[in-house]
Amino acid sequence: MAPAAASFNETSKTVCVMDASGRLGSSLVHRLLHRGYTVHAAFQNHGKLLQSFEGLSCNNKKLKVFHSDPFDYHSIMDALKGCCGLFYSFEPPSDQPTYDEFMADVEVRAAHNVLEACAQANTIDKVVFTSSATTVIWSDGRSKAPDLDERNWSDINFCRKFKQLWHALSKTLAEKTAWALAMDRSINMVTVNGGLLMSPDLTIANPYLKGAAEMYEDGAFVTVDLRFIVDAHIHVFEDITSYGRYVCFNRVINCNEDAVKLSNMLLPPSESSFPQSLEATRIHQQRISNKKLNKLMVDFDSKLRVD
């Protein structure tokens, strides 16, 4: 792994973060700047966060801010110009914040447009595509299936049948679309399939939580801290040996105590999503693995600068 890190020390790199308006995207921008990258921060919305980054860019020559719409091909190309890499994550439009069958189509079209732009931008060496652990979890008879990892895919028909799983359906279709295009256009791409992102603004409305009780009982309900998933994105980009998909989490919610604690963070005790009558010591066997990512992250230096 050392040679991979060394190659990124040789010269300053320019990368694009799209969409930079979410918690993950904005954190990636700050961490990449800290590591010495020049960053094109591509924003879809025009909120306060965008204004703060525009102010920051006035004092930081390594930060450039772009207004980017995943359905405006030219705006995508403008943001990618001169970049050797792209960190892509999808943020739902502000006028359609919830996941439904319509959102699945929106996310798929956005992924297609962005990957097509990467194929046309002859400077892009690598794409880090943010996906979700829900893309490996859902299938009929899942409780009897072997342990889950990057080799598994959620069943699209199963997700359609149980309409609460629109988030899993959207993420699965979007990632499959991205992979199909990446292989067809010879784009070097890796995906980070993150668990539920733990953050101060987490609410019960988060679409990842649809089916939470079932994931818990199946030993597949996983969460990830912001710092860990940001580091994972950067490392799979910098390490030349990275490939394919990486399930990303650093905590498994598989005992009643942790489940109730999380539920109480999101809802009053009377409305808890998890049954509190179970024995506090009961533990569901973990059935999802992140060994592939953990093996890659062993030598990651979170303080390394690339310039």
Side-chain angles (χ1 to χ4, degrees), residues 18-91:
M18 181 187 304
D19 184 357
S21 61
R23 184 169 291 276
L24 172 60
S26 61
S27 296
L28 268 169
V29 170
H30 285 293
R31 294 282 285 121
L32 288 163
L33 288 171
H34 178 73
R35 290 175 74 80
Y37 287 89
T38 296
V39 180
H40 290 190
F43 287 83
Q44 184 175 323
N45 64 39
H46 301 267
K48 294 181 179 179
L49 183 62
L50 171 58
Q51 295 173 8
S52 68
F53 269 95
E54 288 177 332
L56 179 61
S57 67
C58 294
N59 300 315
N60 191 333
K61 294 181 179 180
K62 286 183 172 291
L63 175 63
K64 297 182 179 180
V65 176
F66 294 81
H67 299 272
S68 184
D69 182 343
F71 304 108
D72 181 349
Y73 189 76
H74 294 293
S75 71
I76 300 172
M77 292 297 292
D78 286 344
L80 294 178
K81 187 175 181 180
C83 293
C84 71
L86 168 67
F87 296 85
Y88 173 74
S89 59
F90 176 80
E91 291 294 329

Side-chain angles (χ1 to χ4, degrees), residues 238-250:
E238 292 181 350
D239 195 317
I240 59 174
T241 68
S242 66
Y243 69 96
R245 311 168 78 205
Y246 290 88
V247 174
C248 178
F249 62 89
N250 57 354

Side-chain angles (χ1 to χ4, degrees), residues 281-298:
T281 57
R282 181 176 180 181
I283 298 176
H284 293 276
Q285 181 180 356
Q286 178 180 337
R287 293 185 50 256
I288 185 168
S289 171
N290 60 349
K291 290 181 180 179
K292 183 183 176 185
L293 178 63
N294 287 344
K295 183 178 180 180
L296 191 76
M297 293 282 287
V298 168

